[in-house]
Amino acid sequence: MSETQVTTQETQYQEINDLLSKSKHYKEGFVTTTAVETFEKGINEAVVRAISAKKNEPEWMLEFRLKAFNHWKNMEEPHWAKAEYTPLDYQDYSYYSAPECGSCAGSCETDQEQVIDPEVAKAFAALGVPIDDSDANVAVDAIFDSISVSTTKREELAKLGIIFCSFSEAVQDYPELVQKYIGTVVPYHDNYFAALNSAVASDGTFVYVPEGVRCPIDLSTYFRINEAKTGQFERTILIAEKGSYVSYLEGCSAPVRDTYQLHAAVVEVIVHEDAEVKYSTVQNWYPGDEDCEGGILNFVTKRGICEGKNSKLSWTQAETGSAITWKYPSCVLKGDNSIGEFYSVALTNRRQQADTGTKMIHLGRNTRSTIISKGLSAGKSDNTYRGLVKIAPTAEGARNFTQCDSMLIGDQCGAHTFPYIEVENATAQVEHEATTSRIGEDQLFYCQQRGISEQDAISMIVNGFCKEVFSELPLEFAQEAEELLAISLEGSVG
Amino acid sequence: MLLKVENLQAQIDEKQILKGLNIEVNPGEVHAIMGPNGSGKSTFASVLAGREDYEVTEGSVEFDGEDLLEMDPEERARKGLFLAFQYPVEIPGVSNKLFMQTAVNAVREEKGLPALDMFDFDEYAREKIELLDMRADLLERSVNVGFSGGEKKRNDIFQMALLEPKLCILDETDSGLDIDALRVVANGVNALRSEERSFIVVTHYQRLLDYIKPDHVHVLYNGKIIKSGGFELANELEQNGYDDIIQQYQGE
């Protein structure tokens, strides 16, 4: 390539980057002002006990928390991901924050009729999350900082035997189920952030679909971090009994803040024989300012086990937010013929850093997994795919197909791929394909020469790149994801 | 007059390529621009289309009564200037249909016409496919992805038919085409000829011109047009090469 071309390309990319960064507006960045009860900053055994007491938890739950806390104290914060951040000061965060319910001074916790703080209700309305039992064709669990404020459509679901409630309620109302499954897929000692979560778990969602039931509507959780300097540590458990089916979606956002906020969630999914779970995420946590100061640190452990024969678990994620994302939704394929899928779009812009991917652990015979990962890097961001495909000696006839595509938008961003493949059974077939491309000046000019504006051209090219993944998202979510990408790529031309 | 280029001078990275180019194109005329490698043929096509790599340092270009050089590339396209690329670009994941529907509607908006919905567009596109005798699956495929060289050029001609431009510039569309593909491209161009539509065919060889039969032939050398004539000039070039004309020009 001649020097001339290089120079021209640089100016072109500069322009594209300007386009991208200019008016990225984060419309979910508003702050809700309401009376809140927030714990003093800091973490110690007393705090863990206080959280448990606040939630009126049974002894076994407190024990689980304390075990995890004691383990966590001796662990070291991991820094192996391809993302740079200064070690966090865990004493500078508050580990519990909840809107106060002035009218009944907390006694309503046991009431069936929940009273929702009007300011909180307003916040969810502004976010487009239906928290009343409207005609929306989706059941919603709305989580505000540390607690769940509303769960809709519960009665309708209860008729089918489906349990859809907050994690805290499940601990009270279905202790035997929670106790049976908590920590079975992600043990408290699994990793640093999982241990922290196990110690100070705030709220999350609990889903149980009984044998043979096909959940007729999508179940969804919306996570909102509002308070500054607060960590959100949700714990979600999803159980699909034999022959059942459920599609679960989660969305998230947070106000614009100037210090990092911590989000360390744990999700455990258990899929029994012949059951199928689709788990979709559209992640739009606040990414921070131009330098990604103040954004969300999204350190999440998501893992599911295909426990029974012919079971299927499918993770789909569209990641556009957060300053740093550290997340590997994984499948343990234990049942024979079970299927694991991972479809991901991760967009990073400005100085965002994403290190995300999946783990497919093949244990059962004829287990199959598919990984389709699309990474988009713009600005000065770094986007990393990190994935493990492990075929155990027992996994006779296992198959995996992996495709990792990266697209670079500009010349100051990075795309990295770290595939780890461990095969211990000679009958396995593992395929890995990877491509890296650039939105080229040539592509843009070609579109423009046909009358298409630069802006439309970028979003057309990007959506085309992501198509295989978006087609896996539930319809409304797919649209939201496309819009999110469009906003993240928005600029002002002319 | 549709296009009036006066004393056009352009450079890329401070290297002067066009050194005072003049040409006038009336509606309905077909002009061929020929010349040896490096004479500035593709630069001229790119400058007309508005490629930003090139800097116009001198001269003016009037297109349909307006200052072309003031417009963005997409504005030029919407006002009826079309460039068939020497190397049409691939856009994975974007269907030709969506791509061209977006483009056609951008042009229609400029003309004050209502947008075509999926069904209207589909009907419109099928008419054009028939007109050009192309394959029906063209619409469903991703823009130029997995297309052979000939298919890419045909796709460009198809896009030209859809956009119904006033001025079509073909930038060495014939390069790398076998004789059959060349004929398809030429037939496409001929099918689109009309009294309102003008063509500038940039080419290295006479081959394509045998099928298209231009009204005017210009020889471009060292950034300037050094000789103009009718179709017979193309024949002369084919027989004697560029050397005679160049020597004549340098002798003057």
Side-chain angles (χ1 to χ4, degrees):
Chain A
M1 192 184 281
S2 74
E3 208 165 289
T4 353
Q5 270 170 308
V6 175
T7 327
T8 340
Q9 274 190 357
E10 268 169 22
T11 44
Q12 285 284 344
Y13 287 131
Q14 188 52 48
E15 221 166 276
I16 298 170
N17 277 323
D18 289 349
L19 260 177
L20 289 170
S21 60
K22 203 175 279 176
S23 72
K24 160 139 191 173
H25 61 271
Y26 185 77
K27 67 179 164 54
E28 290 82 6
F30 61 85
V31 179
T32 303
T33 316
T34 180
V36 290
E37 184 188 8
T38 302
F39 277 19
E40 289 287 309
K41 282 177 189 169
I43 182 168
N44 52 49
E45 193 178 315
V47 167
V48 174
R49 284 179 184 278
I51 292 170
S52 189
K54 194 77 205 162
K55 291 175 175 287
N56 201 19
E57 286 174 350
E59 192 57 31
W60 58 264
M61 188 64 206
L62 177 62
E63 267 171 37
F64 178 78
R65 286 178 183 278
L66 291 175
K67 245 191 318 189
F69 178 70
N70 286 323
H71 191 81
W72 177 77
K73 278 193 303 191
N74 299 318
M75 291 175 96
E76 265 182 49
E77 191 180 74
H79 281 269
W80 47 261
K82 194 157 175 46
E84 281 174 28
Y85 58 98
T86 43
L88 299 173
D89 180 359
Y90 292 87
Q91 301 304 338
D92 196 34
Y93 284 93
S94 164
Y95 291 82
Y96 184 87
S97 170
E100 256 179 6
C101 182
S103 54
C104 48
S107 64
C108 64
E109 272 171 33
T110 48
D111 273 350
Q112 284 297 73
E113 284 293 308
Q114 276 183 321
V115 182
I116 301 167
D117 185 311
E119 288 303 315
V120 174
K122 254 191 250 170
F124 280 112
L127 294 165
V129 179
I131 54 166
D132 49 359
D133 268 307
S134 58
D135 49 359
N137 196 26
V138 59
V140 178
D141 185 16
I143 296 182
F144 196 84
D145 289 336
S146 303
I147 65 153
S148 165
V149 293
S150 154
T151 312
T152 67
K153 306 254 183 200
R154 296 166 63 150
E155 283 164 31
E156 203 178 317
L157 293 167
K159 282 180 203 149
L160 296 165
I162 297 170
I163 301 168
F164 178 50
C165 64
S166 71
F167 177 75
S168 308
E169 284 170 292
V171 170
Q172 301 298 329
D173 301 344
Y174 311 100
E176 66 295 336
L177 277 176
V178 177
Q179 211 174 349
K180 181 174 169 189
Y181 288 107
I182 192 169
T184 58
V185 190
V186 181
Y188 68 85
H189 51 74
D190 188 81
N191 66 69
Y192 187 81
F193 297 108
L196 177 62
N197 173 287
S198 301
V200 297
S202 40
D203 219 337
T205 306
F206 183 81
V207 177
Y208 176 84
V209 189
E211 189 173 328
V213 172
R214 209 183 150 81
C215 185
I217 52 175
D218 291 341
L219 304 182
S220 139
T221 303
Y222 196 92
F223 298 99
R224 176 76 177 167
I225 297 181
N226 187 58
E227 276 308 293
K229 284 264 176 189
T230 302
Q232 193 176 54
F233 305 94
E234 87 257 6
R235 187 96 196 179
T236 290
I237 300 179
L238 197 156
I239 302 143
E241 287 284 11
K242 192 175 168 184
S244 65
Y245 168 84
V246 65
S247 166
Y248 175 82
L249 333 167
E250 59 181 13
C252 16
S253 67
V256 173
R257 299 286 189 194
D258 55 7
T259 48
Y260 286 130
Q261 295 173 81
L262 181 59
H263 175 252
V266 170
V267 174
E268 298 179 274
V269 180
I270 299 98
V271 195
H272 289 287
E273 201 175 320
D274 294 320
E276 180 179 350
V277 174
K278 269 181 88 79
Y279 196 111
S280 314
T281 307
V282 171
Q283 186 262 107
N284 182 27
W285 292 120
Y286 176 56
D289 65 10
E290 283 311 302
D291 291 325
C292 288
E293 289 289 327
I296 297 273
L297 303 179
N298 194 32
F299 298 154
V300 170
T301 308
K302 289 183 167 173
R303 196 175 303 151
I305 181 163
C306 284
E307 185 72 52
K309 271 190 283 184
N310 307 319
S311 54
K312 181 175 174 185
L313 171 59
S314 181
W315 299 100
T316 307
Q317 57 173 21
E319 305 276 323
T320 63
S322 299
I324 300 175
T325 299
W326 183 95
K327 178 182 167 188
Y328 316 89
S330 306
C331 299
V332 180
L333 302 171
K334 188 175 164 198
D336 290 347
N337 309 321
S338 60
I339 297 172
E341 295 175 333
F342 175 74
Y343 300 98
S344 168
V345 166
L347 166 75
T348 53
N349 199 353
R350 302 188 276 181
R351 287 189 185 273
Q352 278 177 281
Q353 304 175 82
D355 191 312
T356 184
T358 184
K359 288 192 258 183
M360 293 289 175
I361 318 283
H362 292 254
L363 302 176
R365 299 161 70 91
N366 299 318
T367 44
R368 294 176 174 213
S369 62
T370 306
I371 299 170
I372 310 278
S373 163
K374 305 277 182 177
L376 287 147
S377 340
K380 294 179 178 166
S381 68
D382 264 306
N383 202 330
T384 302
Y385 168 82
R386 188 186 301 275
L388 169 70
V389 175
K390 187 182 170 74
I391 313 279
T394 48
E396 200 74 19
R399 296 188 62 171
N400 162 267
F401 174 77
T402 301
Q403 186 181 330
C404 289
D405 297 328
S406 307
M407 183 178 268
L408 298 166
I409 307 173
D411 55 1
Q412 294 184 63
C413 51
H416 319 273
T417 306
F418 300 109
Y420 304 83
I421 300 171
E422 296 172 14
V423 179
E424 295 174 68
N425 185 309
T427 63
Q429 287 183 45
V430 177
E431 293 170 64
H432 181 95
E433 289 179 10
T435 65
T436 304
S437 57
R438 238 178 232 284
I439 284 199
E441 178 210 336
D442 283 350
Q443 283 178 322
L444 286 179
F445 181 67
Y446 192 68
C447 294
Q448 285 174 284
Q449 213 303 305
R450 299 300 181 248
I452 300 166
S453 69
E454 193 163 22
Q455 181 85 61
D456 288 351
I458 291 178
S459 85
M460 193 184 269
I461 294 166
V462 165
N463 277 318
F465 178 73
C466 301
K467 203 174 232 167
E468 282 164 278
V469 172
F470 285 169
S471 64
E472 293 297 324
L473 284 172
L475 195 61
E476 274 177 56
F477 245 41
Q479 212 174 335
E480 191 185 327
E482 275 191 33
E483 281 165 15
L484 259 181
L485 274 194
I487 291 170
S488 304
L489 292 167
E490 195 164 86
S492 52
V493 185
Chain B
M1 195 174 299
L2 182 66
L3 184 77
K4 187 175 182 180
V5 179
E6 275 185 315
N7 187 32
L8 185 62
Q9 302 188 24
Q11 62 179 29
I12 181 162
D13 200 41
E14 287 168 28
K15 185 168 187 259
Q16 196 74 21
I17 311 279
L18 299 183
K19 302 174 178 170
L21 194 153
N22 297 293
I23 192 172
E24 291 182 1
V25 179
N26 289 305
E29 288 179 349
V30 177
H31 290 248
I33 295 184
M34 304 183 71
N37 285 331
S39 58
K41 300 189 301 289
S42 283
T43 298
F44 180 49
S46 297
V47 167
L48 289 182
R51 211 179 185 121
E52 288 181 27
D53 315 17
Y54 298 92
E55 191 193 341
V56 174
T57 50
E58 195 71 59
S60 66
V61 180
E62 204 175 275
F63 177 61
D64 212 13
E66 291 184 77
D67 184 355
L68 186 75
L69 301 177
E70 280 299 299
M71 300 178 202
D72 289 337
E74 59 262 43
E75 219 177 323
R76 301 178 192 205
R78 289 172 194 171
K79 289 194 189 274
L81 186 146
F82 182 93
L83 174 67
F85 285 65
Q86 189 175 0
Y87 305 106
V89 178
E90 299 184 6
I91 310 178
V94 178
S95 74
N96 237 337
K97 195 171 182 171
L98 173 69
F99 179 70
M100 284 316 296
Q101 192 188 350
T102 312
V104 165
N105 283 333
V107 171
R108 287 178 67 88
E109 194 184 336
E110 176 75 25
K111 290 182 181 165
L113 295 169
L116 296 180
D117 68 10
M118 237 164 64
F119 307 105
D120 292 339
F121 177 77
D122 203 58
E123 215 165 280
Y124 176 63
R126 301 217 173 267
E127 275 170 34
K128 299 292 184 188
I129 284 180
E130 221 163 281
L131 173 76
L132 301 174
D133 200 19
M134 289 185 181
R135 281 172 51 177
D137 69 351
L138 193 64
L139 280 177
E140 315 304 330
R141 298 166 67 182
S142 289
V143 180
N144 294 327
V145 177
F147 284 33
S148 69
E151 281 178 315
K152 285 181 183 173
K153 302 291 173 76
R154 265 187 268 177
N155 192 24
D156 256 26
I157 301 297
F158 171 58
Q159 296 179 4
M160 186 164 92
L162 284 169
L163 292 171
E164 300 187 329
K166 290 179 188 148
L167 176 65
C168 308
I169 303 160
L170 279 66
D171 183 11
E172 303 208 25
T173 294
D174 51 343
S175 68
L177 290 192
D178 63 29
I179 198 76
D180 293 324
L182 192 73
R183 203 174 284 141
V184 174
V185 167
N187 289 344
V189 170
N190 287 330
L192 296 173
R193 276 173 96 150
S194 82
E195 284 180 12
E196 296 87 44
R197 186 167 299 134
S198 313
F199 290 81
I200 295 177
V201 182
V202 173
T203 182
H204 195 67
Y205 303 106
Q206 193 207 354
R207 253 179 2 158
L208 179 65
L209 303 183
D210 284 340
Y211 293 103
I212 293 182
K213 301 245 174 357
D215 306 304
H216 303 276
V217 176
H218 310 274
V219 178
L220 185 65
Y221 174 70
N222 198 19
K224 277 182 182 176
I225 286 176
I226 57 168
K227 188 164 186 176
S228 297
F231 181 49
E232 74 288 344
L233 181 57
N235 287 326
E236 195 189 317
L237 284 171
E238 185 71 9
Q239 275 164 20
N240 306 330
Y242 292 108
D243 286 351
D244 283 4
I245 294 174
I246 291 169
Q247 271 166 17
Q248 227 174 52
Y249 163 74
Q250 281 170 338
E252 277 168 18

